[in-house]
């Protein structure tokens, strides 16, 4: 393990927290601005747009929300004409959720708005900064994915 200064580590922790907060806040603002949806609702729609028709439990897992919350939000989205429920052709006991044309349009508008902002910021970086930034973001995604492995079974961090 590489030696590091405690002050450097605290700066890393603060920067990581700031990154999470900024991403969540700004994606939520963009969702409301572009589609008038909550961040959680957008997460559900984004999962279906990416993976196709899915069961509610699968959608909830991809979106990072509980099953009951997903069910409640999907019912509301169905009433608003954004999603539709269909019986599975393979197993009639299963109900799949898919996007309507309106739902696809909402997701597409949100994705396009996000990409426009990303494109502007990416263009402002030098080629070297772009390569470094992508590398660091990929490392961060891997690290963040591994952090939950450090939790003890009861959800607490080891001493």
């Amino acid at each position: 393990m590489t030696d590091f200064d405690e002050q450097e580590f605290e700066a890393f922790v603060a920067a990581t927290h700031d990154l999470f907060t900024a991403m969540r806040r700004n994606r939520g603002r963009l969702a409301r601005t572009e589609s008038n949806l909550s961040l959680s609702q957008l997460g559900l729609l984004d999962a279906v747009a990416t993976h196709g028709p899915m069961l509610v439990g699968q959608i909830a897992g991809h979106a990072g929300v509980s099953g009951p919350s997903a069910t409640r939000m999907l019912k509301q989205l169905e009433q608003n004409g954004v999603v539709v429920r269909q019986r599975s052709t393979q197993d009639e006991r299963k109900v799949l959720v898919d996007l309507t044309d309106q739902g696809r349009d909402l997701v597409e508008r949100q994705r396009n708005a996000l990409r426009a902002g990303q494109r502007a910021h990416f263009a402002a970086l030098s080629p070297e900064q772009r390569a470094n930034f992508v590398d660091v973001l990929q490392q961060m995604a891997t690290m963040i994915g591994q952090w939950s492995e450090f939790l003890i079974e009861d959800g607490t961090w080891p001493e």
Side-chain angles (χ1 to χ4, degrees):
M1 193 164 174
T2 306
D3 288 332
F4 55 83
D5 165 302
E6 195 63 29
Q7 191 172 2
E8 284 178 309
F9 174 67
E10 291 302 324
F12 170 80
V13 170
T16 302
H17 176 77
D18 291 347
L19 175 66
F20 290 157
T21 302
M23 288 178 69
R24 183 166 179 78
R25 181 182 329 112
N26 289 326
R27 187 169 170 118
R29 282 184 190 148
L30 182 61
R32 286 187 302 277
T33 301
E34 291 301 317
S35 58
N36 205 27
L37 299 173
S38 72
L39 183 58
S40 296
Q41 288 173 321
L42 185 60
L44 298 172
L45 298 180
D46 198 49
V48 178
T50 301
H51 302 286
M54 293 191 297
L55 301 170
V56 173
Q58 293 171 316
I59 297 169
H62 282 286
V65 299
S66 71
S69 291
T71 298
R72 181 180 41 78
M73 286 187 281
L74 288 167
K75 278 185 179 180
Q76 183 181 24
L77 291 167
E78 185 178 29
Q79 290 170 351
N80 293 335
V82 177
V83 299
V84 62
R85 295 170 188 257
Q86 310 164 338
R87 292 245 175 244
S88 169
T89 56
Q90 283 83 23
D91 184 346
E92 288 193 16
R93 296 171 296 176
K94 295 181 179 179
V95 176
L96 298 173
V97 177
D98 198 4
L99 297 175
T100 62
D101 289 341
Q102 178 186 348
R104 282 187 219 345
D105 183 57
L106 285 172
V107 172
E108 188 67 23
R109 279 198 329 246
Q110 195 277 337
R111 284 179 174 176
N112 288 342
L114 180 59
R115 282 184 75 83
Q118 290 169 327
R119 185 176 301 280
H121 288 101
F122 186 76
L125 299 172
S126 71
E128 182 181 339
Q129 288 174 317
R130 292 173 188 165
N132 290 335
F133 197 68
V134 169
D135 184 50
V136 170
L137 286 175
Q138 289 172 335
Q139 288 178 43
M140 288 291 297
T142 299
M143 281 189 276
I144 291 166
Q146 294 171 344
W147 288 349
S148 64
E149 295 173 16
F150 294 107
L151 293 174
I152 299 176
E153 286 182 21
D154 68 359
T156 62
W157 294 97
E159 294 291 324

